[in-house]
Amino acid sequence: MTGGGRRPGDTEGTRRAMNPNIIKAAIGGGVATGVALVAAPLIVGAMGFTAAGISAGSIAAKMMSAAAIANGGGVAAGSIVAVLQSIGAAGLSFVAKVGLASVCGPVGALIGLKIP
């Protein structure tokens, strides 16, 4: 490819348009990644996992109660309740954000390709 966006064989003043599938995939991947990174902490907070602790009467409280009963009175470290409470209190870690982006980006790109 020569400078100025022209390729060998192009006549003066012609340019090739970017493939619309690439544009759709990029938009789909970007939107899916952005939504996942914003929505995940919001959903965890709405479930009742907050910085102040687990909200009384929430889904989180019911999950914690069930986990405590199943575990003999306490919530096990590393359990889903403990992980969600950690996210609710401190947000997503960098590694979690990279993981979400790594999964949601390609999935969004595939969905973007299917949009007419």
Side-chain angles (χ1 to χ4, degrees):
M1 186 161 150
T2 61
R6 291 181 24 210
R7 296 181 185 167
D10 284 353
T11 60
E12 185 62 35
T14 61
R15 289 194 132 153
R16 296 178 191 232
M18 184 176 272
N19 185 339
N21 287 334
I22 293 173
I23 295 170
K24 289 187 219 177
I27 291 171
V31 169
T33 300
V35 167
L37 292 177
V38 171
L42 292 177
I43 292 169
V44 170
M47 290 174 63
F49 297 99
T50 67
I54 292 180
S55 301
S58 65
I59 294 171
K62 291 179 176 95
M63 289 175 67
M64 183 177 177
S65 174
I69 290 169
N71 209 25
V75 176
S79 68
I80 189 70
V81 174
V83 170
L84 290 173
Q85 180 53 40
S86 175
I87 293 170
L92 292 170
S93 68
F94 177 75
V95 172
K97 289 178 183 177
V98 169
L100 270 175
S102 297
V103 171
C104 294
V107 170
L110 289 173
I111 293 169
L113 284 173
K114 299 297 180 188
I115 295 173

